[in-house]
Amino acid sequence: MRCCDWLRCCGGGEPRPRTVWLGHPEKRDQRYPRNVINNQKYNFFTFLPGVLFNQFKYFFNLYFLLLACSQFVPEMRLGALYTYWVPLGFVLAVTIIREAVEEIRCYLRDKEVNSQVYSRLTARGTMKVKSSNIQVGDLIIVEKNQRVPADMIFLRTSEKNGSCFLRTDQLDGETDWKLRLPVACTQRLPTAADLLRIRSYVYAEEPDIDIHNFVGTFTREDSDPPVSESLSIENALWAGTVVASGTVVGVVLYTGRELRSVMNASSPRSKIGLFDLEVNCLTKILFGALVVVSLVMVALQHFAGRWYLQIIRFLLLFSNIIPISLRVNLDMGKIVYSWVIRRDSKIPGTVVRSSTIPEQLGRISYLLTDKTGTLTQNEMVFKRLHLGTVAYGLDSMDEVQSHIFSIYTQQSQDPPAQKGPTLTTKVRRTMSSRVHEAVKAIALCHNVTPVYESNGVTDQAEAEKQYEDSCRVYQASSPDEVALVQWTESVGLTLVGRDQSSMQLRTPGDQILNFTILQIFPFTYESKRMGIIVRDESTGEITFYMKGADVVMAGIVRYNDWLEEECGNMAREGLRVLVVAKKSLAEEQYQDFEARYVQAKLSVHDRSLKVATVIESLEMEMELLCLTGVEDQLQADVRPTLEILRNAGIKVTNRGEAHLELNAFRRKHDCALVISGDSLEVCLKYYEYEFMELACQCPAVVCCRCAPTQKAQIVRLLQERTGKLTCAVGDGGNDVSMIQESDCGVGVEGKI
């Protein structure tokens, strides 16, 4: 049997796409790794050899080992063996015990995760299973506030709205809840046990590092005709996330080292502090001095007799110049330093995971941190509504509220005797109509779901009946979305209900407007926009709403002469700008689009491209409604620091553009560098040295939307180019690679 075949049989080899039958792990087309989390540097057999190798690969320790070994030669012995071996043994014992304690702590943390118990659906009913025993194809039940044990496809939920929320702070560091949707076919089944009675399977792509995308299909064969549904990231439950609402049932797709979270992490390695390296270098210098002194002493004797043995004996006699106690003092000092950090009242809750490099914190030259979430309150506030001819700020929101009120409460209150409205009334109604369309679009185009809670416990059935404002909490995957919906509520149009297929808005006159959700196009980093198609139940009107960044929306909306200028003005004020547009659709036009869209979503190959092409057929000549501007609430002491980040940016797609942009940026002074992950990849591919030279000269560098591997690459390049110490700070699983690659890593517990 060839080596690659053996690896494949053991769950190794190249990752491949897979077909997973629901509830039948035995029907697998390949072997998969065990669902075991292992963050240890060593195992039982490699611990002692590994620790000793890491100790004696440096000259400082090797020097004392050679001294101790030399005492076994009678001609070189200067005293009792214990005078050399006892100090060396004590040093090694301290090191081995320290490493053992850290490995045991890591083992216990891994064991706690691997031993968590979950419920598994089987033909004999519900059975308890440890996380480490979960297999691909198992149907796993995950309760509220329970961690998802493996990468799964979302099949069913107990929530009445047919969806659930996930907390992904342990995966990507985001504090906002993510909305996930079950497979429609399995959600309609009467009970969860029916999942084992149907003949169905999931076809999934090969394991991938990208936590923001997924391509797959769900097929039910025993229905007539067979049912096929497309699967995307909205149907995926990644390991490490926590179910925030309801109880969910999922089928396991990936386990063990094929998990998204594991693939984003690099292998743990032993780190050595700069102080240890400096001591090691000084030891070499002192040893060179010993050799010189020994040669001088032998030369004074004219190299008589066995002079080479005399040189070694002089080296042993003068060996005290390099005290072995220095190593003991260093190790004890690091242990005390780690203990003091844990007990520091100014940084409560700090845990030192490694006691070998605590002194590194005082010698950091480059600090790399994940975004600015720790510098802000992560709470967005609506600041500006711009309609082209008029703009509304915080001090004029009452005017927007009056426009909305007039639309819904004064439409039929004109005096009967008045033959026609006055010019002032016409202007007033025209402006009210424009404001209303803009507010309505903002209130409908989002992924926000209102959740009703009573006394801290979700009570959807009772609270939602009355749409009680005091019980309502908005949940969304972005704080920007929540800020927009909260603003529409403040001006009179309130989102009071939402599920997979419908949405309800409440007007200032307490009238409930019902809308059917026909299609949703989620926001992606590639498209930089999101859209929704809804049908107004009262009029039957179908409307396509879209909002996104000005760089993409400028080519989608009808020509106008104010979009670019006003977007620039708002951006210079530090606002996050969104462009909102709409398009009315005829019934036939929508039906034609739906057929093409469903067909594109079922494609396994090039699905993203095909779906984007179909959606783009609608994204033409849309009516520009408004611009919105929201702002994150910065801590007062960091606002001046973040001002420099708005100065300049680099955006390139090829080698020629990279050359021009880097040369142009070189002529700027005291300017922060802002670059996206895609542009960064191009620059590092063709002009790695030039880019790193510019980056090191800037007061600050912001890399937007970087992949975990790119974060680790930046750390590695900084270390190689500058030789300086780096510190990486992160709050999610996608920061693990960066933290492990840096000289000193800091993990921040995310806000829940």
Side-chain angles (χ1 to χ4, degrees):
M1 180 179 291
R2 293 179 302 175
C3 179
C4 58
D5 294 333
W6 180 84
L7 285 173
R8 190 172 292 113
C9 290
C10 295
E14 291 295 325
R16 295 178 295 170
R18 60 197 61 190
T19 299
V20 179
W21 292 84
L22 268 62
H24 297 283
E26 69 280 358
K27 292 184 178 181
R28 50 190 177 192
D29 53 0
Q30 54 184 298
R31 293 180 65 87
Y32 306 110
R34 290 187 62 211
N35 193 44
V36 177
I37 302 299
N38 184 9
N39 294 309
Q40 296 172 248
K41 291 185 290 187
Y42 312 102
N43 57 37
F44 180 80
F45 299 102
T46 63
F47 173 73
L48 191 58
V51 173
L52 293 178
F53 173 77
N54 286 326
Q55 291 301 307
F56 293 124
K57 70 180 180 181
Y58 297 103
F59 182 80
F60 184 87
N61 297 326
L62 184 61
Y63 169 75
F64 290 108
L65 177 65
L66 294 176
L67 284 181
C69 290
S70 69
Q71 298 306 293
F72 288 111
V73 180
E75 291 85 354
M76 300 180 186
R77 183 177 299 174
L78 298 178
L81 288 177
Y82 68 84
T83 59
Y84 286 88
W85 281 99
V86 169
L88 181 61
F90 179 76
V91 171
L92 292 178
V94 171
T95 301
I96 291 173
I97 292 173
R98 186 189 64 201
E99 290 283 348
V101 169
E102 292 179 359
E103 280 294 291
I104 291 173
R105 288 175 178 172
C106 186
Y107 167 77
L108 294 176
R109 292 195 300 269
D110 290 343
K111 183 179 180 181
E112 181 181 359
V113 175
N114 294 325
S115 300
Q116 290 185 4
V117 178
Y118 295 86
S119 299
R120 178 172 60 188
L121 284 177
T122 66
R124 297 189 299 272
T126 302
M127 300 178 61
K128 298 296 183 182
V129 60
K130 289 184 178 180
S131 176
S132 58
N133 294 329
I134 291 175
Q135 303 179 51
V136 173
D138 283 345
L139 295 176
I140 302 298
I141 301 174
V142 185
E143 305 288 342
K144 182 179 179 180
N145 293 325
Q146 211 173 15
R147 186 185 68 90
V148 177
D151 290 349
M152 306 194 302
I153 289 299
F154 185 14
L155 299 177
R156 287 182 59 83
T157 178
S158 61
E159 293 289 275
K160 294 183 179 180
N161 59 6
S163 62
C164 83
F165 286 100
L166 294 180
R167 295 200 301 267
T168 63
D169 48 285
Q170 295 183 31
L171 181 66
D172 57 11
E174 300 289 344
T175 59
D176 305 291
W177 294 7
K178 304 294 191 299
L179 180 68
R180 290 294 182 263
L181 305 175
V183 177
C185 177
T186 53
Q187 178 65 23
R188 289 194 295 264
L189 295 175
T191 64
D194 293 324
L195 292 170
L196 295 167
R197 301 188 182 101
I198 63 175
R199 181 178 173 80
S200 57
Y201 63 86
V202 172
Y203 178 81
E205 63 180 356
E206 67 275 6
D208 188 53
I209 198 172
D210 190 355
I211 63 174
H212 300 294
N213 291 291
F214 173 75
V215 175
T217 57
F218 173 87
T219 303
R220 179 177 178 180
E221 290 186 337
D222 58 349
S223 62
D224 189 22
V227 176
S228 291
E229 294 186 34
S230 65
L231 302 177
S232 65
I233 185 63
E234 291 185 332
N235 310 111
L237 308 174
W238 298 144
T241 59
V242 178
V243 176
S245 61
T247 300
V248 305
V249 181
V251 58
V252 177
L253 288 186
Y254 309 111
T255 54
R257 62 175 176 273
E258 294 182 343
L259 297 176
R260 291 295 206 269
S261 56
V262 174
M263 294 181 72
N264 275 291
S266 56
S267 300
R269 63 183 179 91
S270 296
K271 296 182 180 181
I272 185 74
L274 180 60
F275 191 70
D276 289 323
L277 294 176
E278 291 173 344
V279 170
N280 189 64
C281 182
L282 290 173
T283 303
K284 294 178 182 179
I285 296 174
L286 291 175
F287 178 76
L290 284 178
V291 172
V292 172
V293 172
S294 300
L295 287 173
V296 170
M297 298 299 293
V298 173
L300 292 175
Q301 298 178 359
H302 306 288
F303 295 97
R306 302 170 68 180
W307 59 269
Y308 50 88
L309 286 179
Q310 293 296 326
I311 291 177
I312 297 177
R313 291 179 67 85
F314 277 121
L315 285 175
L316 294 173
L317 286 171
F318 295 136
S319 62
N320 289 333
I321 293 177
I322 307 175
I324 193 172
S325 60
L326 175 62
R327 180 55 194 272
V328 178
N329 293 336
L330 288 178
D331 285 345
M332 299 304 295
K334 291 181 179 183
I335 293 174
V336 173
Y337 191 14
S338 301
W339 181 81
V340 171
I341 291 176
R342 287 195 295 266
R343 297 293 298 267
D344 194 334
S345 60
K346 295 182 180 179
I347 46 175
T350 302
V351 178
V352 180
R353 299 295 188 193
S354 175
S355 60
T356 59
I357 54 172
E359 78 283 357
Q360 295 280 78
L361 290 171
R363 309 185 70 172
I364 300 300
S365 298
Y366 290 97
L367 179 65
L368 300 96
T369 180
D370 175 47
K371 298 185 298 187
T372 57
T374 54
L375 304 178
T376 65
Q377 300 176 14
N378 204 29
E379 296 176 0
M380 310 303 294
V381 176
F382 192 95
K383 292 283 188 177
R384 186 73 57 82
L385 176 70
H386 205 296
L387 301 177
T389 57
V390 62
Y392 297 96
L394 289 178
D395 56 348
S396 56
M397 289 303 173
D398 54 339
E399 295 183 32
V400 178
Q401 188 174 13
S402 67
H403 286 306
I404 298 298
F405 185 83
S406 65
I407 284 289
Y408 287 106
T409 61
Q410 298 179 4
Q411 291 178 342
S412 58
Q413 295 183 7
D414 290 331
Q418 187 174 346
K419 294 184 178 180
T422 64
L423 179 60
T424 303
T425 305
K426 285 184 178 181
V427 173
R428 172 78 177 175
R429 288 189 172 179
T430 301
M431 182 54 64
S432 295
S433 177
R434 291 181 61 191
V435 171
H436 168 248
E437 285 298 327
V439 174
K440 182 179 175 183
I442 297 171
L444 291 173
C445 188
H446 52 72
N447 63 2
V448 181
T449 300
V451 177
Y452 291 86
E453 298 180 353
S454 179
N455 297 324
V457 180
T458 300
D459 192 6
Q460 192 79 10
E462 295 299 325
E464 193 172 357
K465 288 180 181 179
Q466 304 298 326
Y467 295 131
E468 297 178 8
D469 293 342
S470 60
C471 300
R472 184 172 54 252
V473 177
Y474 293 121
Q475 292 295 347
S477 58
S478 168
D480 303 58
E481 299 273 74
V482 174
L484 293 174
V485 173
Q486 288 176 338
W487 175 76
T488 63
E489 177 183 0
S490 68
V491 297
L493 206 54
T494 306
L495 175 69
V496 294
R498 179 175 185 159
D499 55 28
Q500 282 186 282
S501 59
S502 65
M503 198 182 310
Q504 293 77 40
L505 300 179
R506 185 174 63 198
T507 69
D510 285 334
Q511 177 187 2
I512 301 298
L513 305 178
N514 293 291
F515 296 87
T516 300
I517 301 175
L518 301 178
Q519 298 291 345
I520 297 181
F521 314 118
F523 173 88
T524 64
Y525 291 134
E526 292 78 19
S527 67
K528 296 182 177 60
R529 58 188 181 275
M530 73 139 324
I532 186 172
I533 301 179
V534 297
R535 176 187 280 116
D536 191 334
E537 290 301 307
S538 61
T539 62
E541 221 178 82
I542 299 177
T543 308
F544 174 33
Y545 292 105
M546 177 168 283
K547 68 181 179 185
D550 58 307
V551 292
V552 295
M553 295 296 290
I556 293 175
V557 299
R558 295 172 189 164
Y559 173 78
N560 60 85
D561 57 0
W562 58 273
L563 176 60
E564 182 178 356
E565 180 182 356
E566 295 303 333
C567 284
N569 293 336
M570 294 173 68
R572 279 187 288 273
E573 296 179 25
L575 302 178
R576 296 188 186 181
V577 183
L578 284 176
V579 181
V580 184
K582 78 165 189 175
K583 184 177 186 179
S584 298
L585 302 177
E587 185 69 34
E588 298 79 11
Q589 186 180 5
Y590 172 72
Q591 294 298 335
D592 173 67
F593 164 80
E594 184 182 34
R596 292 183 289 114
Y597 183 64
V598 171
Q599 187 66 31
K601 287 180 66 178
L602 291 175
S603 301
V604 175
H605 302 290
D606 298 326
R607 176 189 292 179
S608 300
L609 178 61
K610 294 176 181 178
V611 169
T613 302
V614 175
I615 297 176
E616 286 173 3
S617 65
L618 281 185
E619 299 174 341
M620 295 183 297
E621 294 296 312
M622 297 189 70
E623 178 186 351
L624 175 59
L625 295 178
C626 66
L627 306 180
T628 64
V630 296
E631 183 182 31
D632 200 349
Q633 294 300 288
L634 300 178
Q635 302 291 350
D637 55 341
V638 302
R639 181 179 291 274
T641 305
L642 297 184
E643 288 295 329
I644 63 172
L645 303 183
R646 299 175 183 141
N647 292 343
I650 292 179
K651 182 179 180 182
V652 298
T653 57
N654 54 57
R655 183 172 185 173
E657 292 180 357
H659 179 74
L660 295 174
E661 287 289 339
L662 290 176
N663 283 339
F665 191 84
R666 192 184 302 273
R667 293 189 291 269
K668 299 178 181 179
H669 301 284
D670 296 327
C671 189
L673 171 60
V674 183
I675 187 169
S676 66
D678 296 337
S679 300
L680 177 65
E681 184 176 359
V682 175
C683 291
L684 293 180
K685 182 178 180 181
Y686 298 109
Y687 299 103
E688 179 183 295
Y689 178 81
E690 292 80 357
F691 176 81
M692 294 306 300
E693 182 183 16
L694 283 176
C696 293
Q697 295 173 358
C698 293
V701 179
V702 180
C703 301
C704 311
R705 302 180 184 125
C706 283
T709 52
Q710 285 182 309
K711 296 180 179 181
Q713 182 185 14
I714 294 171
V715 175
R716 186 165 54 254
L717 289 175
L718 271 176
Q719 294 169 336
E720 293 174 355
R721 297 292 181 185
T722 66
K724 301 294 183 62
L725 292 187
T726 59
C727 176
V729 182
D731 58 0
N734 58 338
D735 303 317
V736 172
S737 296
M738 174 178 69
I739 291 173
Q740 292 179 331
E741 189 65 40
S742 64
D743 297 290
C744 188
V746 179
V748 179
E749 185 176 290
K751 170 186 171 184
I752 299 178

